Amino acid sequence: LSIKGPGTEWAEQTKTRSGCGLKIHVEYLLNEDTINTLSISPSNVNDITAAINQIQIQPGWVYVYDKAYADYNWWHMIHVSGAFFVTRPKKNAKIRILSKRKLDKKSNPYILADKYVQLSNKKPRGGKDNKLASITLRLIEAIDPITGKKYS
């Protein structure tokens, strides 16, 4: 793979066997309709590594991530910092249901389930402690009204 031309020097640092690229990590302030921080990492750097190194958790803020940012102990740090996070669990997450919340299907027809849960695997990934395992979390399952795809 050869990358040539002015302004392409950054791509040399991101080369992998499958190509080149970059990832953009954005902290967007919804209330202010503005970007608070923006960082770029090579495509071969794990998303969670970039997040842990570059995002300063603020109490009361809500952090929304995709599954690539899965790290239970980082989520625990967000929790103990007085902030909140929203994400989707990975398919292999071990989840124990504590209770189910009653649904109002008339006002929320796309919400399929609303549960309080805990992560039940206290030592995922080679014995690393899961500090989030004892914390009660909320798991909401929904359906996209256009595609019919289910999300949790």
Side-chain angles (χ1 to χ4, degrees), residues 88-130:
R88 294 186 301 146
K90 289 191 169 188
K91 289 183 182 182
N92 65 348
K94 305 287 188 228
I95 297 173
R96 179 174 43 137
I97 299 169
L98 302 176
S99 64
K100 295 179 181 181
R101 294 173 48 121
K102 187 175 179 174
L103 298 176
D104 179 358
K105 290 286 189 182
K106 289 180 182 178
S107 63
N108 295 308
Y110 306 113
I111 303 296
L112 303 175
D114 188 349
K115 308 169 192 173
Y116 288 112
V117 301
Q118 284 184 340
L119 297 169
S120 58
N121 190 350
K122 294 183 183 201
K123 290 204 179 272
R125 289 188 265 154
K128 180 180 173 184
D129 285 340
N130 175 3

Side-chain angles (χ1 to χ4, degrees), residues 28-99:
Y28 181 77
L29 301 178
L30 186 61
N31 294 0
E32 299 175 24
D33 194 25
T34 188
I35 293 173
N36 189 47
T37 59
L38 183 139
S39 61
I40 298 172
S41 65
S43 62
N44 57 356
V45 172
N46 191 309
D47 292 346
I48 190 62
T49 302
I52 289 171
N53 292 333
Q54 297 169 6
I55 295 175
Q56 298 293 317
I57 303 302
Q58 301 294 322
W61 286 23
V62 178
Y63 296 87
V64 181
Y65 300 104
D66 96 349
K67 292 186 282 187
Y69 292 86
D71 183 294
Y72 297 148
N73 290 336
W74 188 52
W75 295 348
H76 181 262
M77 186 181 77
I78 293 170
H79 171 74
V80 298
S81 297
F84 306 91
F85 65 90
V86 177
T87 190
R88 294 186 301 146
K90 289 191 169 188
K91 289 183 182 182
N92 65 348
K94 305 287 188 228
I95 297 173
R96 179 174 43 137
I97 299 169
L98 302 176
S99 64

